[in-house]
Amino acid sequence: MITTTIGSLKKNSSSPRVILGTVMTGLSGLCMILTLIPLIAVLFFVFVQGFSRLDTDLFTQLPPPPGLDEGGLANAIIGTLVVVGIAVVIAVPVGVLAAVYLSEFSHGNKFATSIRFATNVLSGVPSIIAGIFAFGLLVSSGIVGFSAIAGGVALAVLMLPTIIRTTDEALKIVPQEIRWAALGVGAYNYQTVLKIVLPAALPGIVTGITLAIARAAGETAPLIFTALFSNFWPNISPQGLAEPIATLSVLVYNFAILPFKPQQELAWAGSLILVLLVLGTSILARLATRRKVY
Amino acid sequence: MTQSDYSNTDKIMMGERSPLEKTFDQGFRWLTLGFAISIGLILISIAVIIAVGAFPAIKQFNFSFFTNSNWNPVTDEYGVIAVIYGTIVSSLISLIIAIPLGVGAAVFLSEDFIPEQIRTVLVFLVELLAAIPSVVYGLWGIFVLIPITTVFGTWLNQNFGWFPLFSSPPAGPGMLPAGIVLSIMILPIIIAISRDSLASLPPDLRQASLGLGATRWETIFRVLIPAAISGIMGGVMLALGRAMGETMAATMIIGNSNRLSISILDPANTIASLIANQFAEASGLQISALMYAGLVLMLLTLIVNILAEYIVNQVKAKYE
């Protein structure tokens, strides 16, 4: 073997090693392309099918009864806003303050390690399990019944790990000197955290929350037996929050499996709105993380 | 500022901290600690609430739950062997498709085949793949993927029908299209974690290998992938956990049939899709049985995820 290559430092393009390399490079590129095909196919169909149904009725009308044409999904859009809003009200304070403890006050003790571990485990919990949890906690125990609140609690459980993890990461990036400087001029711990550290980490935290919201808005499994569905306008009042409510994601699921064309078109339009939401927040998140305070 | 302003500030600076503020400061600390504890409590109460809900079914069926393949709400007879089989097989199909594609794409993204900027865009697109809601994949699966897999499945059945896995004519929804959609959904996890573990390898490894005269792909196969293999395995485990727990895409595409069938062209069911499909209309013992199934699913994903976490952490500790 050695004797054949002595004297020639040129790359022999017909040697099996070189050919193997070229073939493998091509194959790995092919893997990359095959990975992106589904993304393009999904986006293509959602955009083509969804846009054909995109009009003002979509945002102002109720869904039509089975068999009838036209209508919109205004109640589901409002419902998604309500349910996700409830989830945000619960998950953001809990998530951000828990992350503040992990990053600012725990000094990396054993307890913090186990809470970080619990966060990771929680993020691996299937979304349908969060639904059963909210059902068992609020619905079957008779506290509120099938309702926007039960749906919001289920979504909050799913949002928590994302918020904690991104806030934790964002706080870690804030330089230690800033904390020392704040404490050095006599600030309390709470002043350091609330007025100095959290504002510095804000872009990262907001990004995390936005991504969590986008993910929660698309979640279906935890809502189908907590928030259920409704064909009518949501009742926007404290009592209304304890009633079943329509959401975009559940509407897509319910209408996709109906044999009626108008309902299927609405399902595509609902998907388009969800996909645009995800696309928009992902791009915004990219831009936000590019700007750094320190 | 006037003289009096300065003296005023002086007084404040020299003054003792008020007890109220001290208490508030302490209180803030305890508040954050309380929220941190609540994360652990949520995790525990998820397990407890589901276990309590499942208790009547556990008492009634005990271990026969795992040997019975019937799921019959009419006779109140429940067993999960068929859905456990469906969960495992659909996850395996998705892994068989996603592992080679994912690792291949991860290698492509961690090497310098194409300019950095284009790679950043590709990484973003892969992240987007993970962000699309599963119900949208389900809708796409029903109207776009199932017609394609039905044609492909008919061909498989006609030419390879002697093979048990392809022994039935495709009914439309089934294990195969569900496995394919699951593979799309877990690809981003495998790519992201494989790419991270390849990128975090010390550069000395690559330099040493190239210095000994190995080509790029010899380096990748014999040095880089073996060194990153535990990270890649961790990513695959996480992906497996995701595939087992994935609900909407599965329930819309798999056909929701509780009959145990060896052919992957037949409709089937997974634990998650069974729960999604029946929970809203269930009552009495059926709810309890569904919660029992949920408990099984939670334990399965918990074991897989903790293993994955452990493996990924081992790798981090090795190179940090």
Side-chain angles (χ1 to χ4, degrees):
Chain A
M1 277 301 284
I2 294 167
T3 47
T4 55
T5 49
I6 275 183
S8 161
L9 288 175
K10 258 195 192 157
K11 188 170 162 184
N12 180 2
S13 60
S14 64
S15 100
R17 298 169 71 196
V18 177
I19 293 174
L20 178 80
T22 319
V23 170
M24 285 312 301
T25 306
L27 276 181
S28 71
L30 186 70
C31 287
M32 189 70 240
I33 294 168
L34 284 176
T35 303
L36 294 178
I37 285 178
L39 176 72
I40 294 160
V42 169
L43 291 181
F44 174 79
F45 278 96
V46 168
F47 273 79
V48 168
Q49 303 270 14
F51 265 119
S52 66
R53 191 62 182 75
L54 208 61
D55 47 29
T56 48
D57 276 4
L58 202 66
F59 300 97
T60 55
Q61 303 285 317
L62 288 175
L68 288 184
D69 216 341
E70 292 181 342
L73 24 82
N75 63 337
I77 295 175
I78 299 172
T80 292
L81 291 178
V82 170
V83 175
V84 173
I86 293 171
V88 168
V89 168
I90 300 169
V92 168
V94 177
V96 170
L97 287 179
V100 163
Y101 175 79
L102 292 179
S103 150
E104 303 299 310
F105 297 138
S106 74
H107 307 296
N109 58 19
K110 270 258 168 65
F111 174 69
T113 316
S114 48
I115 290 298
R116 286 204 176 95
F117 180 73
T119 310
N120 286 344
V121 172
L122 198 60
S123 75
V125 167
S127 58
I128 190 133
I129 298 292
I132 302 183
F133 166 67
F135 176 88
L137 185 72
L138 298 171
V139 180
S140 70
S141 63
I143 296 178
V144 288
F146 295 109
S147 62
I149 295 175
V153 167
L155 290 189
V157 170
L158 293 172
M159 287 174 79
L160 268 177
T162 318
I163 296 179
I164 294 176
R165 217 182 291 165
T166 45
T167 307
D168 196 11
E169 295 290 323
L171 290 174
K172 269 188 204 156
I173 301 173
V174 176
Q176 196 58 38
E177 288 84 349
I178 291 167
R179 294 184 184 93
W180 292 336
L183 293 172
V185 296
Y188 280 103
N189 279 322
Y190 80 89
Q191 289 169 325
T192 312
V193 169
L194 292 180
K195 297 192 176 159
I196 308 294
V197 181
L198 275 181
L202 202 61
I205 297 174
V206 171
T207 305
I209 294 174
T210 327
L211 290 178
I213 289 176
R215 188 191 153 193
E219 282 291 355
T220 317
L223 296 179
I224 41 183
F225 46 82
T226 52
L228 288 183
F229 191 73
S230 147
N231 282 314
F232 311 105
W233 291 105
N235 177 2
I236 305 292
S237 64
Q239 301 96 301
L241 297 182
E243 290 168 9
I245 196 166
T247 49
L248 268 180
S249 51
V250 177
L251 179 137
V252 173
Y253 169 58
N254 284 349
F255 284 8
I257 47 184
L258 285 180
F260 306 111
K261 194 91 186 133
Q263 265 74 10
Q264 292 173 1
E265 283 173 356
L266 279 179
W268 282 107
S271 296
L272 177 65
I273 297 175
L274 288 176
V275 166
L276 285 178
L277 181 74
V278 166
L279 269 178
T281 46
S282 302
I283 293 170
L284 274 181
R286 278 271 139 163
L287 296 179
T289 40
R290 208 175 279 169
R291 268 185 38 230
K292 285 214 174 83
V293 176
Y294 290 100
Chain B
M1 263 188 202
T2 62
Q3 184 63 40
S4 68
D5 277 339
Y6 278 114
S7 59
N8 203 6
T9 355
D10 272 351
K11 264 183 206 152
I12 291 169
M13 299 295 283
M14 304 294 282
E16 289 253 324
R17 295 186 158 192
S18 77
L20 184 73
E21 270 207 301
K22 270 188 189 163
T23 330
F24 186 80
D25 192 45
Q26 276 301 314
F28 181 72
R29 233 186 140 117
W30 286 108
L31 183 75
T32 60
L33 175 65
F35 281 126
I37 294 173
S38 76
I39 306 304
L41 288 182
I42 288 174
L43 199 60
I44 294 168
S45 54
I46 290 178
V48 169
I49 282 181
I50 297 179
V52 168
F55 187 68
I58 297 176
K59 217 169 68 182
Q60 175 108 17
F61 303 115
N62 222 328
F63 287 108
S64 75
F65 200 58
F66 299 98
T67 51
N68 188 350
S69 72
N70 273 333
W71 185 276
N72 194 338
V74 181
T75 57
D76 255 348
E77 188 194 356
Y78 304 104
V80 283
I81 188 91
V83 286
I84 288 184
Y85 174 81
T87 306
I88 292 172
V89 171
S90 60
S91 307
L92 282 183
I93 295 176
S94 70
L95 284 184
I96 289 170
I97 301 171
I99 292 175
L101 280 183
V103 176
V107 169
F108 187 76
L109 288 173
S110 63
E111 294 283 318
D112 54 351
F113 293 128
I114 47 171
E116 178 82 42
Q117 290 94 326
I118 303 179
R119 263 186 288 160
T120 318
V121 174
L122 290 179
V123 170
F124 174 69
L125 289 179
V126 172
E127 279 173 19
L128 211 57
L129 201 59
I132 290 180
S134 61
V135 70
V136 175
Y137 281 118
L139 181 71
W140 177 80
I142 290 177
F143 292 104
V144 182
L145 187 66
I146 285 181
I148 299 174
T149 55
T150 308
V151 173
F152 177 62
T154 310
W155 178 83
L156 272 179
N157 178 240
Q158 279 166 358
N159 292 285
F160 301 96
W162 48 269
F163 195 63
L165 289 180
F166 312 128
S167 57
S168 67
M175 196 84 99
L176 180 67
I180 293 175
V181 167
L182 289 181
S183 74
I184 298 173
M185 303 183 72
I186 62 173
L187 260 173
I189 303 175
I190 297 186
I191 294 180
I193 294 181
S194 306
R195 189 177 144 261
D196 279 352
S197 39
L198 284 170
S200 66
L201 295 176
D204 324 19
L205 280 178
R206 176 193 296 270
Q207 290 157 6
S209 171
L210 292 176
L212 286 171
T215 63
R216 182 203 289 268
W217 279 97
E218 284 163 357
T219 307
I220 292 172
F221 276 129
R222 300 201 187 154
V223 180
L224 300 183
I225 290 186
I229 192 71
S230 35
I232 296 173
M233 287 296 294
V236 169
M237 292 293 278
L238 277 180
L240 176 64
R242 173 92 198 271
M244 293 197 309
E246 177 46 50
T247 312
M248 293 325 291
T251 199
M252 290 166 87
I253 299 172
I254 205 161
N256 298 308
S257 150
N258 289 321
R259 208 168 52 85
L260 191 70
S261 164
I262 201 86
S263 167
I264 61 168
L265 303 172
D266 267 339
N269 217 346
T270 69
I271 301 178
S273 66
L274 173 80
I275 299 171
N277 209 28
Q278 303 200 344
F279 208 105
E281 281 103 37
S283 59
L285 191 62
Q286 193 184 359
I287 287 193
S288 186
L290 285 170
M291 283 192 159
Y292 194 179
L295 195 64
V296 174
L297 173 67
M298 190 175 162
L299 286 179
L300 282 178
T301 49
L302 212 62
I303 293 168
V304 169
N305 279 319
I306 288 178
L307 268 178
E309 184 83 5
Y310 177 75
I311 297 173
V312 172
N313 281 340
Q314 289 298 97
V315 185
K316 269 190 196 151
K318 197 162 144 194
Y319 288 112
E320 259 170 23

